[in-house]
Amino acid sequence: MSRRKIIIDTDPGQDDAVAILLALASPEELDLLAITCVAGNVPLHRTQTNARIVLEAAGRTDVPVYAGCPAPLHRPLVTAEHVHGKTGLDGPELWEPQMPLAEGSAVDAIIDALRSHDPGTVTLCTLGPLTNIAAAFNTAPDIISRVQEVVMMGGAYFEVGNITPAAEFNIYVDPEAAETVFKSGAPITVMPLDVTHKVLATRPRIEAIRALDSRVGRFTAEMLDFFERFDVAKYGSEGGPLHDPCVIAWLLRPELFSGRHVNVEVETRSDLTLGMTVADWWRVTDRTPNALFIGDADADGFFELLTLRLARL
């Protein structure tokens, strides 16, 4: 079976970092063409720095990193240092990366990749706000039909919001970008809070990663030590949810997940519910389904996959 070509669009973020590491540890299945960075969890200057730190930690400086949009399409940037810390990767001791940024913009890199590879062979893995993807779709509408799939971490329905009562962070930061992507017609799979809140980095799971006793194992465990504190305090959960690695795990082991193909609309006008993903889970409207909305996961299977793959790095 040929490797699946992917671009990871991201705003690292500890859980973004783990998603990148999982992709790097799966070269038989995934061909990581590039990492494109967007402002989100932390500002752009930190997200593009963090992506390069993660690549250096894994010894994979061959993967190009592009800097993308520094702010949402039409709104001021909202960030999440209260969750991820000042750097976005608080936990391990960080360093200034030596690998350079790739020349050019993330938006152009996305456009060029989709135009240069065969139609239907490049998957966009989105781990942050959808600003870069929407900008690429708006700039070059011809690429939309060339996308194999958009697999995104974003949104919520039954789990409601984590940045407002109604909205999940990635969608809330740039709801207009999210609306553009959901209305694009591209095939979409969504990993919302409904599923990611079931994939918790509990203490035994973190210790199993630390016990790999490798640079990547220690780096990951130290990130998760910091990351879990917010959700444990806020929700009383047993650990922090590994939101973004669900995107990569879906590509590797889709049988770990289940969901429904439903219509998803994004609220862009209401002050009360801005950024809400209105998922027609019960199919009570006649709106055409536009996304596979994942609702459940085998958490033990997920962490077995993650730990085994991280052991390769």
Side-chain angles (χ1 to χ4, degrees):
M1 187 177 72
S2 62
R3 298 192 298 164
R4 185 165 182 161
K5 297 179 177 66
I6 67 170
I7 293 172
I8 294 180
D9 190 74
T10 180
D11 61 338
Q14 291 92 347
D15 56 323
D16 306 68
V18 178
I20 293 168
L21 292 170
L22 180 57
L24 294 173
S26 306
E28 297 89 353
E29 297 100 332
L30 301 178
D31 180 7
L32 179 54
L33 302 178
I35 295 175
T36 54
C37 296
V38 67
N41 285 323
V42 285
L44 182 66
H45 76 275
R46 276 304 327 174
T47 64
Q48 52 93 345
T49 297
N50 291 348
R52 290 180 290 144
I53 287 173
V54 174
L55 289 175
E56 289 186 355
R60 286 295 308 276
T61 57
D62 56 301
V63 179
V65 174
Y66 295 88
C69 297
L73 296 179
H74 305 297
R75 299 177 185 273
L77 177 64
V78 175
T79 56
E81 287 92 345
H82 63 288
V83 177
H84 298 276
K86 185 177 181 180
T87 68
L89 290 186
D90 280 18
E93 184 176 346
L94 301 180
W95 60 92
E96 189 64 27
Q98 298 304 300
M99 70 173 289
L101 273 174
E103 293 186 6
S105 75
V107 173
D108 288 341
I110 292 166
I111 293 170
D112 292 345
L114 286 165
R115 285 177 173 170
S116 63
H117 290 89
D118 291 340
T121 62
V122 176
T123 294
L124 303 177
C125 301
T126 70
L127 313 182
L130 290 160
T131 315
N132 287 340
I133 308 303
F137 285 4
N138 288 336
T139 302
D142 60 286
I143 67 173
I144 296 172
S145 64
R146 303 177 71 89
V147 175
Q148 180 175 1
E149 186 178 9
V150 177
V151 185
M152 73 170 69
M153 190 280 130
Y157 188 63
F158 294 102
E159 281 288 300
V160 295
N162 65 350
I163 188 67
T164 74
E168 179 275 330
F169 178 81
N170 286 344
I171 306 299
Y172 177 79
V173 169
D174 199 342
E176 287 80 13
E179 181 182 48
T180 294
V181 173
F182 276 105
K183 290 186 173 180
S184 69
I188 296 172
T189 297
V190 185
M191 296 289 164
L193 299 182
D194 303 78
V195 65
T196 66
H197 277 180
K198 297 173 182 176
V199 181
L200 300 178
T202 61
R203 182 50 44 189
R205 289 165 174 167
I206 293 174
E207 293 308 320
I209 293 171
R210 197 188 319 274
L212 297 174
D213 199 26
S214 63
R215 183 186 188 190
V216 165
R218 290 187 294 273
F219 183 79
T220 302
E222 289 167 4
M223 284 193 297
L224 297 181
D225 286 341
F226 180 90
F227 183 61
E228 72 162 355
R229 94 216 184 287
F230 178 81
D231 286 88
V232 169
K234 182 175 181 179
Y235 301 112
S237 59
E238 296 180 1
L242 284 193
H243 307 286
D244 294 325
C246 289
V247 168
I248 305 304
W250 162 258
L251 300 179
L252 299 173
R253 295 278 303 278
E255 67 274 12
L256 294 174
F257 301 89
S258 61
R260 294 184 183 181
H261 196 229
V262 300
N263 179 269
V264 181
E265 303 286 340
V266 179
E267 178 56 63
T268 61
R269 299 172 183 86
S270 168
D271 290 338
L272 190 63
T273 57
L274 181 68
M276 182 178 182
T277 43
V278 183
D280 188 9
W281 183 262
W282 301 113
R283 302 186 179 101
V284 296
T285 75
D286 59 1
R287 293 196 292 266
T288 302
N290 61 353
L292 177 59
F293 201 79
I294 302 299
D296 204 2
D298 174 355
D300 288 336
F302 169 92
F303 277 96
E304 179 183 17
L305 171 68
L306 176 63
T307 306
L308 288 173
R309 291 301 170 95
L310 291 180
R312 299 174 168 187
L313 296 175

